[in-house]
């Protein structure tokens, strides 16, 4: 049987193939496509019982209908997030859906800190200057993080890893989540209401999933109570931040720095080469004009360790499907389960 994977990156494909071949040998073949799965590309999935998807694929009701009518029975999402999948429509069509519930939390936590340090110490501006042999330090002054306050919004595995690094810097720790994490409490993190966290933190890092209750969690009201010289880092989901409100705050001269590895309208932009095109997303283009804003292309997870674990879990989810098993990764149970 041939299994098709969408949106596969060049550096990702060898790890995915190696894991796939080790598990399935001659039983199944893997077809890797660079294109994203959506209404225009869904005909390429015709006749494939199993489809491997990613966060930038659009699996709405129309696409899921076409998949089911074309013979697809199982969707293996190779990411933790699944807000791009209409689970209700998948259930109605009798499709099994599984995700990667966890992988190396250090990949994202370490990258979030990379963004924080880069914007705080003006690393990008410094490198641009030195490449032109301009070695002045004007405008590059940073600040110590030791003794300052880190606000960790979401204290699951990734948030806990971020908090652990913050503790290493000697920072005071504030956290917010629907449930307290004993590992974070052991670090000395104090759980507080979200508004207080925004008001007191010198560095705010977002590590919650995108849900209806967390959409635009950082809105105009949240930004208004944040310190004028606060750092805001988002390595989770773009929809957590109200981009219009953020742009207004930046235009007002507020916030010391912003690091965004995700953006709420990133679909159809991130992971693609747009260098020869006119950027029609005016909000994203506007963000790029601020010297204290650093935008990266959803790469926080992108380490060999994490991608390898994602590939292994994806293959395990497919094995479970063929064996009629479910697990904690199962989002929609197969009809026969």
């Amino acid at each position: 049987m041939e299994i098709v994977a969408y949106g596969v990156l060049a550096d990702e494909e060898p790890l995915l193939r190696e894991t796939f071949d080790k598990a399935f040998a001659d039983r199944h073949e893997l077809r890797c496509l660079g294109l994203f799965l959506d209404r225009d590309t869904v005909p390429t999935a015709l006749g494939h019982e199993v489809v491997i998807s990613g966060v930038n694929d659009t699996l709405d009701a129309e696409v899921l209908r076409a998949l089911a009518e074309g013979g697809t029975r199982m969707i293996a999402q190779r990411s933790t997030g699944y807000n791009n999948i209409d689970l209700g429509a998948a259930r109605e069509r009798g499709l099994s859906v599984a995700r990667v519930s966890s992988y190396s939390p250090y990949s994202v936590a370490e990258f979030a800190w990379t963004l924080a340090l880069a914007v705080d110490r003006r690393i990008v501006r410094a490198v641009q200057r030195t490449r032109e042999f301009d070695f002045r330090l004007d405008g590059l002054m940073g600040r110590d993080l030791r003794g300052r306050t880190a606000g960790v919004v979401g204290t699951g595995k990734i948030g806990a890893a971020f908090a652990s690094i913050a503790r290493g810097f000697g920072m005071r720790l504030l956290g917010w989540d629907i449930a307290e994490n004993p590992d974070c409490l052991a670090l000395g993190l104090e759980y507080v209401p979200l508004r207080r966290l925004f008001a007191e933190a010198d560095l705010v890092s977002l590590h919650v999933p995108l849900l209806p209750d967390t959409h635009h969690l950082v809105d105009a009201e949240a930004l208004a109570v944040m310190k004028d010289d606060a750092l805001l880092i988002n390595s989770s989901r773009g929809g957590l931040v109200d981009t219009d409100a953020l742009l207004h705050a930046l235009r007002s001269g507020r916030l010391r720095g912003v690091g965004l590895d995700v953006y709420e309208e990133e679909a159809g932009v991130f992971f693609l080469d747009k260098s020869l095109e006119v950027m029609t997303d005016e909000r994203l283009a506007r963000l790029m004009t601020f010297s204290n804003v650093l935008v990266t292309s959803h790469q926080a997870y992108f380490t060999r360790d994490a991608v390898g674990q994602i590939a292994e879990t994806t293959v395990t989810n497919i094995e479970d499907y063929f064996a009629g098993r479910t697990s904690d990764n199962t989002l929609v149970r197969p009809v026969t389960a």
Side-chain angles (χ1 to χ4, degrees), residues 79 133 204 208 271 277 288-289 291 323 337:
S79 70
F133 302 102
V204 175
V208 292
F271 298 161
E277 302 178 22
M288 298 294 195
T289 66
S291 62

Side-chain angles (χ1 to χ4, degrees), residues 48-52 71-77 94-99 314 317-322:
H48 292 87
E49 182 176 346
V50 177
V51 166
I52 301 175
T72 298
R73 295 295 175 263
M74 194 267 177
I75 297 168
Q77 174 91 340
L95 295 168
S96 173
V97 183
R99 64 162 177 162
T314 299
N317 289 340
I318 295 172
E319 288 180 315
D320 286 344
Y321 163 76
F322 285 126

Side-chain angles (χ1 to χ4, degrees), residues 19-30:
T19 306
F20 191 94
D21 293 342
K22 183 178 179 180
F24 295 123
D26 297 327
R27 290 183 294 153
H28 305 296
E29 296 180 1
L30 178 65

Side-chain angles (χ1 to χ4, degrees), residues 27 56 60-61 69 72 84 108 168 272 317 327:
R27 290 183 294 153
N56 281 303
D60 56 18
E69 292 178 353
T72 298
N84 61 314
V108 179
L272 299 173
N317 289 340
S327 71

Side-chain angles (χ1 to χ4, degrees), residues 131-148:
R131 286 188 181 279
E132 297 178 356
F133 302 102
D134 179 352
F135 298 102
R136 293 172 300 160
L137 297 182
D138 297 348
L140 301 182
M141 183 177 287
R143 62 181 180 181
D144 292 356
L145 292 175
R146 181 177 178 81
R148 288 187 163 84

